[in-house]
Amino acid sequence: MADFYDSLYNLCGYEPEEIKEQRPRIEETLRRLNLGPEDMKNGESFVRNNFDIELMGVRKILAIWLRELSDLVLAKDDGKQVFYYGFPSIGGLGMAIAAASEDVYAGCPDVILCHTMGQIFNKLNPILEAGEQNGLPAGHSLCTLQATRVGALAKGIIPIPDLVSLSSYYCDMGSKTDELLCERYGYPSVIIDGSMDSKWGEFPDYDPMRVKYLGSQINKLYDEVGKRMGISVTEVEFKKGIEMMLGFMKSMGQLGAAMNADPVPISMVDVSMARFLGTASTRRAMNEVPQALETLIPEVQKRVEEGYGVTPKGAPRILLGFPSFSDPSFIHMLEDVGLAVSNQTLMSPLRVKSWESDQPTLGEQRAEIEMRVGFYHGNFGTIKRWAEVTEDLHVDGFIWNYLFNCRPVASTSHLLKQYVEETTGTPVLSLEMDIYDSRYYTPSSLRTRIETFADILRMRKARKR
């Protein structure tokens, strides 16, 4: 007998037999999330309006998000030890821990809740409000992604972790918030410290001591995981985690190749839902995303052959700094004004010579790769990498939609615009917004500036013909 959630879960890629088999997990997940029949109706309408559900690959990706949500909410019920990390995270750390043991749940709860409660159920606001009431008050330029985790713990939606990794190598706000939560809930933490104070112009070079220091911090995490959780992360698990991450990136690269077509065959809303599974989850990303992309990529390639596009052929192609994690209407608005949002799925590997390292320890190997990539290097490393991506993807424009309440990102707001325009000749729109909390902006409030930018790009393309 069908229940109130069957239609939405089927729309999101669950087969009837899976729904039947998973009823206890689905129902307990929805109970803890306080989601009822009316929420399922609203969610179904939201999914139909925002995702390309005629593509089975998209529906499979949505299904992975819903399974990941249940894995997160029910991790303790499943007898798992729980390890949380923050966003952004050094690539491969969580995957290595997940690869080391079937008995651990490793993931980034903030990102999972944004993509599910925000982009599927359209009901993230109660969690954000709980975060504001429990330590991160509104109006103080505090990170709304962090408010998601604070609110979810306060509401009892997600389990109290056995260990967390605090990422002071990038975001001081993340580690400070986690210190508050550690005091409140009594769980242990490991701070991975670092420095983003590179000299201007230094990247891609780096001080070898940066690798030694950040590497020792990563090694400290693995030591603590062993001591506190009884999980040994050896070179085997570390390499397996990296291989899984690279396999994920390879699959996304194949999708990205199709996205380079003109017209763009699928919305970046759908592509981003696949891309950020690798950020938010570990086991699901390792095991299920490549299979979902095996379905999606041929569907997208068929659209390319047929000349189908979500924007007109010849539309200005833009690079976007960040998709919204919780509100698909932002990217749809960009497409509505006639901008083709370009592929970002290959962003990290571009111009990175090697994803291997001969450093002596696992942590130093990972740290050296991150120094090559640039985003944890410093402001100049971040800005130069975006300039390289702008050149390599041959875009007509770049929207740098920086977060006003994120110090590492906001500090590059206008420096990035100046550098990219001077070195590549590509117009840049510096746009202040919040990619986690749509209460702080509406697409309509940003539309006038974006429409003007789109007109400029169209005129530039016309002059080049």
Side-chain angles (χ1 to χ4, degrees):
M1 179 177 176
D3 214 321
F4 67 90
Y5 49 81
D6 286 45
S7 181
L8 174 59
Y9 273 70
N10 182 256
L11 188 68
C12 291
Y14 273 61
E15 297 294 338
E17 283 302 312
E18 183 180 7
I19 294 175
K20 181 179 179 181
E21 178 186 339
Q22 296 296 319
R23 282 201 192 283
R25 290 180 65 79
I26 294 171
E27 291 174 0
E28 182 59 20
T29 300
L30 296 179
R31 185 190 70 79
R32 295 188 193 181
L33 294 169
N34 195 29
L35 296 174
E38 194 63 30
D39 297 309
M40 296 302 105
K41 292 179 183 177
N42 293 337
E44 184 174 349
S45 175
F46 196 73
V47 168
R48 288 187 184 278
N49 289 335
N50 287 291
F51 294 101
D52 209 335
I53 55 172
E54 71 175 55
L55 301 178
M56 181 54 68
V58 170
R59 294 173 64 189
K60 287 186 175 183
I61 289 165
L62 295 176
I64 297 171
W65 278 109
L66 289 176
R67 294 185 198 113
E68 185 67 34
L69 179 62
S70 286
D71 289 348
L72 167 63
V73 171
L74 303 177
K76 291 287 188 177
D77 301 57
D78 294 336
K80 305 282 189 182
Q81 294 190 84
V82 177
F83 171 78
Y84 292 155
Y85 56 88
F87 176 84
S89 175
I90 292 175
L93 296 189
M95 285 187 175
I97 292 170
S101 174
E102 293 282 341
D103 298 324
V104 63
Y105 174 82
C108 182
D110 333 14
V111 175
I112 294 167
L113 291 167
C114 279
H115 283 80
T116 52
M117 294 300 289
Q119 299 219 51
I120 295 177
F121 296 110
N122 191 27
K123 202 171 180 183
L124 185 64
N125 284 358
I127 298 175
L128 291 169
E129 290 163 3
E132 292 168 347
Q133 295 161 6
N134 286 273
L136 298 184
H140 289 70
S141 294
L142 301 175
C143 177
T144 45
L145 184 65
Q146 299 295 324
T148 303
R149 187 182 303 195
V150 173
L153 282 167
K155 291 172 72 68
I157 290 173
I158 61 175
I160 295 173
D162 297 287
L163 185 66
V164 298
S165 168
L166 314 185
S167 53
S168 280
Y169 53 86
Y170 183 79
C171 172
D172 62 332
M173 178 72 195
S175 58
K176 291 299 182 184
T177 302
D178 273 326
E179 285 180 351
L180 164 68
L181 294 174
C182 289
E183 288 294 322
R184 179 172 293 171
Y185 298 104
Y187 56 74
S189 64
V190 181
I191 296 176
I192 303 180
D193 205 356
S195 170
M196 295 265 288
D197 295 331
S198 302
K199 297 177 182 177
W200 187 265
E202 182 179 13
F203 180 80
D205 296 328
Y206 50 85
D207 186 337
M209 288 304 297
R210 294 280 302 277
V211 171
K212 293 291 183 185
Y213 182 73
L214 180 56
S216 70
Q217 296 290 299
I218 297 172
N219 288 330
K220 178 179 67 176
L221 168 64
Y222 289 142
D223 289 342
E224 287 297 310
V225 167
K227 292 175 184 176
R228 295 184 179 273
M229 303 179 74
I231 297 169
S232 177
V233 180
T234 67
E235 187 170 358
V236 173
E237 286 77 26
F238 182 80
K239 287 186 175 180
K240 183 178 179 181
I242 296 298
E243 287 171 3
M244 292 295 183
M245 184 182 71
L246 293 177
F248 175 87
M249 292 171 64
K250 180 180 178 181
S251 296
M252 289 303 300
Q254 292 173 337
L255 179 60
M259 287 293 292
N260 287 330
D262 183 16
V264 174
I266 185 174
S267 172
M268 188 56 70
V269 169
D270 303 294
V271 174
S272 293
M273 287 295 277
R275 175 187 172 199
F276 283 100
L277 271 165
T279 297
S281 74
T282 50
R283 199 170 305 284
R284 293 287 179 188
M286 288 191 284
N287 296 334
E288 298 181 21
V289 175
Q291 288 81 2
L293 291 177
E294 284 179 6
T295 299
L296 180 59
I297 290 168
E299 292 178 318
V300 174
Q301 290 172 336
K302 184 173 185 293
R303 285 188 168 187
V304 172
E305 294 167 3
E306 295 171 347
Y308 176 90
V310 297
T311 51
K313 184 176 178 63
R317 186 177 293 266
I318 63 159
L319 180 64
L320 179 67
F322 307 100
S324 174
F325 278 40
S326 62
D327 183 6
S329 67
F330 174 65
I331 287 181
H332 286 314
M333 182 264 289
L334 298 177
E335 295 164 344
D336 288 343
V337 303
L339 294 174
V341 184
S342 185
N343 159 49
Q344 291 172 263
T345 57
L346 287 174
M347 191 173 72
S348 292
L350 292 173
R351 300 195 188 182
V352 177
K353 294 180 181 179
S354 173
W355 281 73
E356 297 180 351
S357 169
D358 58 3
Q359 291 289 335
T361 69
L362 299 181
E364 288 168 283
Q365 291 169 22
R366 187 67 244 169
E368 183 172 57
I369 293 169
E370 293 299 344
M371 287 300 102
R372 293 177 190 154
V373 172
F375 292 109
Y376 301 132
H377 194 293
N379 279 350
F380 179 75
T382 298
I383 290 169
K384 185 172 176 60
R385 287 289 293 114
W386 279 112
E388 291 174 354
V389 174
T390 301
E391 287 183 331
D392 292 344
L393 294 182
H394 307 290
V395 293
D396 300 300
F398 180 10
I399 295 181
W400 177 237
N401 56 325
Y402 67 93
L403 287 69
F404 70 93
N405 54 356
C406 176
R407 283 179 287 279
V409 174
S411 64
T412 64
S413 58
H414 301 298
L415 285 173
L416 185 145
K417 172 181 169 63
Q418 179 181 347
Y419 184 87
V420 172
E421 288 184 339
E422 290 178 353
T423 59
T424 71
T426 304
V428 179
L429 173 62
S430 190
L431 191 69
E432 179 184 288
M433 61 176 293
D434 188 324
I435 66 170
Y436 309 120
D437 184 354
S438 59
R439 298 174 304 165
Y440 282 86
Y441 74 96
T442 61
S444 59
S445 69
L446 304 173
R447 188 177 183 113
T448 300
R449 293 187 65 195
I450 292 171
E451 284 179 330
T452 303
F453 188 62
D455 287 340
I456 291 171
L457 298 185
R458 278 190 284 267
M459 287 188 289
R460 283 172 56 92
K461 281 180 70 75
R463 286 199 298 266
K464 290 179 180 179
R465 294 193 184 112

